[in-house]
Amino acid sequence: MDDLAHALLPQGFLRPFLVAAVIYGIRYVLLAGTAFLVWYARPAGGKLQRAMPRGAQIRREIAYSAIAVVIFGLVIGLISGYGIAPHTLLYLEVARYGWAYFWLSILVVILAHDAYFYWTHRLMHTPALFRIFHGVHHLSRNPTPWTAYAFHPLESVVQALGLVLIIFIIPLHPAALLIFHTISTAINVYGHLGYELYPRGWAQHPLGRWINTSVAHNTHHDQAHYNYGFYFLFWDRWMGTLDPSYEAKYRGSLAPGTAS
Ligand SMILES: [Zn+2]
Ligand SMILES: [Zn+2]
């Protein structure tokens, strides 16, 4: 794992930039592409919004996502190439904090990123900032798996800065970062999938009521209002920004186990 850490964090600007951009790009294409093939190649019942997306929407989403991948890579390259990495809390030997911390750190990063995403997302929905930062993401009222990284370049910078902030406050092994990002991208693709995967009754389940769902984020794209969370619904429930009809909408969606 420590060898992987050194491979993930080479020295200089160009190599870290290329390694990060390639990892971001391949992961996006694999996860979004697989989801697209499974759910859109032969459309199944249960789509949250009936209409299928047009080719122009998907081409736009992939183009903005490609720019996002380059920006994410650039930020990693800048951190590595301009002497910032030694000031972060990144560490290269798992033994330094042990395996229990390694796995715990992934959970902590998910919670920290959830808070960062919720508050920056709400900020970007203020009228002054929406058009500049976040309007591009909301061009997709009927999201697809490809919408996951479809950000305006300025919003891509905001998303990348979340990661920068996290590596300054939480000691992280690069492999933990890689696992976190893979989980994050998979959840991001699910949120934009256009189909619900959790079972019927999930929105009212004692655990499920705190977990963000594709229904919740699909509503966010459809209405550009409510449901600002990423992984969880903690912040939306605490701050009163959960769609009041969320549970009814969830029940009305054709979640697995729901009679259609
Ligand atoms: Zn979205
Ligand atoms: Zn939004």
Side-chain angles (χ1 to χ4, degrees):
M1 200 61 96
D2 295 346
D3 291 342
L4 177 65
H6 287 279
L8 288 172
L9 222 65
Q11 300 297 306
F13 169 79
L14 191 62
R15 276 191 60 202
F17 160 63
L18 290 174
V19 167
V22 166
I23 290 175
Y24 274 113
I26 289 176
R27 190 168 41 199
Y28 168 74
V29 169
L30 276 180
L31 291 172
T34 303
F36 190 78
L37 281 176
V38 170
W39 279 278
Y40 287 76
R42 275 194 304 142
K47 191 160 180 310
L48 297 174
Q49 297 185 43
R50 277 190 198 284
M52 292 307 277
R54 292 167 182 269
Q57 174 183 332
I58 291 165
R59 285 193 292 277
R60 183 191 67 237
E61 291 171 344
I62 292 174
Y64 276 113
S65 296
I67 298 169
V69 161
V70 171
I71 291 173
F72 296 159
L74 275 174
V75 170
I76 302 281
L78 289 172
I79 289 172
S80 176
Y82 290 88
I84 302 168
H87 301 290
T88 68
L89 299 180
L90 287 171
Y91 63 96
L92 299 181
E93 293 82 27
V94 173
R96 188 159 163 195
Y97 296 105
W99 280 107
Y101 178 79
F102 177 91
W103 296 111
L104 182 69
S105 70
I106 296 172
L107 190 65
V108 173
V109 172
I110 288 175
L111 290 169
H113 186 232
D114 193 54
Y116 178 85
F117 184 89
Y118 176 86
W119 287 106
T120 53
H121 191 188
R122 273 196 75 177
L123 202 62
M124 288 190 290
H125 269 268
T126 55
L129 299 179
F130 183 82
R131 206 178 276 260
I132 304 167
F133 284 86
H134 194 47
V136 161
H137 189 65
H138 277 276
L139 289 174
S140 305
R141 277 196 65 177
N142 181 7
T144 75
W146 301 108
T147 318
Y149 280 175
F151 302 126
H152 186 282
L154 286 176
E155 180 171 1
S156 294
V157 172
V158 172
Q159 301 297 349
L161 286 181
L163 175 70
V164 175
L165 198 66
I166 281 167
I167 59 175
F168 273 97
I169 55 175
I170 301 165
L172 267 184
H173 188 279
L177 199 57
L178 183 73
I179 294 169
F180 154 70
H181 252 139
T182 305
I183 294 170
S184 176
T185 307
I187 290 175
N188 197 352
V189 166
Y190 154 70
H192 296 97
L193 185 62
Y195 292 86
E196 186 50 70
L197 303 182
Y198 283 119
R200 185 183 191 179
W202 183 244
Q204 287 136 306
H205 187 277
L207 177 67
R209 67 192 299 273
W210 300 104
I211 307 287
N212 200 12
T213 64
S214 206
V215 167
H217 197 65
N218 199 281
T219 302
H220 179 75
H221 275 266
D222 191 29
Q223 301 179 358
H225 193 40
Y226 295 128
N227 309 349
Y228 299 96
F230 189 125
Y231 309 86
F232 304 108
L233 295 175
F234 298 130
W235 289 105
D236 277 308
R237 288 197 184 274
W238 290 336
M239 296 298 134
T241 53
L242 187 69
D243 175 11
S245 60
Y246 165 59
E247 287 174 12
K249 282 199 178 85
Y250 191 94
R251 276 196 303 275
S253 73
L254 297 177
T258 307
S260 56

